[in-house]
Amino acid sequence: MSYDGRFRVWRGDADGGDLADFTVEVNEGEVVLDIIHRLQATQAPDLAVRWNCKAGKCGSCSAEINGRPRLMCMTRMSTFEEGETVTVTPLRAFPVIRDLVTDVSFNYEKARAVPAFAPPADLAPGDYRMQQVDVERSQEFRKCIECFLCQDVCHVIRDHEDNKQAYAGPRFLMRIAELDMHPLDQADRRQAAQHEHGLGLCNITKCCTEVCPEHIKITDNALIPLKERVVDHSYDPLVWLGSKIRRR
Ligand code: SF4
């Protein structure tokens, strides 16, 4: 069963653009990315769109569908009414390159700013046995496909471009939390999270968790525990006393 669906797709580049109306055939079982491909094949061959696996694993086809950050390949057309106009726009938090393609290099800069895992220098292979609980804790975070939907929806940068310098965003604060929870990591993640990566700007509205296609509980399992670790460290009287003694 097929029908003619109504779509509005943002066309333009860094200098500006507008929504363009299209009518595109929709078939049973299709997702929004199928429609965008049909649009390219039949009416708009120069429409720019980034995609790769079409299986919800590469994180490339991130866009906003009816204003909500989503993967185009994981958004079924059956979730919309047949008469409904479906609007597809580029990620709002990042600069547009062309049409549905945005420049997400902000995220790669933030990734580079997080120091790598730092085990003890003298630790030999086999010296430490990981506990299953430690493996499971980080496994959830390792499901991240770097679609950057959480980064896009986070109002700290979505609505405040000037915060980008000081704020890593949920994806990379989660990475810091993952490393801080690793029993062997030696780096000072907590002070860095607070003072270099803007953890304090996150006010745990859980928007990131709501849009994550991997259903990672970013807020509950990474951001809130990281905030608690920062507070514990900053206000622990023994830690405070130790820092005073070390300064002498
Ligand atoms: Fe995407 Fe979820 Fe990873 Fe954020 S945490 S980049 S929403 S997979």
Side-chain angles (χ1 to χ4, degrees), residues 143-151 170-171 174 208 211-216 218:
K143 288 193 302 180
C144 175
I145 57 171
E146 302 220 311
C147 62
F148 305 133
L149 294 180
C150 59
Q151 300 283 94
R171 193 278 167 261
M174 182 177 83
C208 51
V211 300
C212 178
E214 286 295 316
H215 308 292
I216 303 170
I218 307 169

Side-chain angles (χ1 to χ4, degrees), residues 38-108:
R38 184 166 299 121
L39 184 56
Q40 273 184 326
T42 58
Q43 303 175 51
D46 61 340
L47 175 69
V49 58
R50 186 185 283 130
W51 70 282
N52 198 348
C53 73
K54 204 169 175 282
K57 286 296 159 210
C58 73
S60 301
C61 67
S62 302
E64 301 199 1
I65 301 170
N66 290 350
R68 184 178 169 83
R70 306 188 70 153
L71 294 180
M72 285 189 275
C73 73
M74 297 303 284
T75 308
R76 291 189 171 276
M77 284 306 302
S78 57
T79 56
F80 307 107
E81 299 293 333
E82 283 193 13
E84 185 178 351
T85 300
V86 178
T87 303
V88 188
T89 48
L91 298 177
R92 200 179 97 188
F94 310 118
V96 169
I97 297 175
R98 195 157 70 84
D99 301 335
L100 300 177
V101 177
T102 49
D103 177 358
V104 293
S105 49
F106 162 80
N107 299 289
Y108 302 122

Side-chain angles (χ1 to χ4, degrees), residues 11 33 57 125 133 145 157 168 175 185 203 229-230 244:
R11 305 290 319 264
L33 188 58
K57 286 296 159 210
V133 65
I145 57 171
I157 47 178
R175 172 71 179 145
D185 189 67
N203 47 14
R229 283 166 171 251
V230 168
K244 293 287 171 201

Side-chain angles (χ1 to χ4, degrees), residues 96-193:
V96 169
I97 297 175
R98 195 157 70 84
D99 301 335
L100 300 177
V101 177
T102 49
D103 177 358
V104 293
S105 49
F106 162 80
N107 299 289
Y108 302 122
E109 285 159 24
K110 295 299 175 183
R112 275 194 292 272
V114 178
F117 174 56
D122 55 354
L123 189 77
D127 272 3
Y128 185 84
R129 187 178 295 268
M130 282 289 279
Q131 300 297 307
Q132 188 61 27
V133 65
D134 292 323
V135 174
E136 282 163 7
R137 192 184 297 118
S138 68
Q139 244 168 9
E140 179 187 15
F141 307 141
R142 306 287 290 192
K143 288 193 302 180
C144 175
I145 57 171
E146 302 220 311
C147 62
F148 305 133
L149 294 180
C150 59
Q151 300 283 94
D152 179 57
V153 81
C154 181
H155 66 96
V156 175
I157 47 178
R158 185 177 176 88
D159 300 325
H160 306 280
E161 181 71 24
D162 49 336
N163 280 340
K164 278 187 175 171
Q165 192 69 24
Y167 186 64
R171 193 278 167 261
F172 300 104
L173 290 170
M174 182 177 83
R175 172 71 179 145
I176 295 167
E178 178 193 341
L179 289 164
D180 194 55
M181 292 174 193
H182 195 294
L184 292 178
D185 189 67
Q186 304 289 295
D188 174 11
R189 308 283 174 186
R190 297 169 203 189
Q191 291 305 313

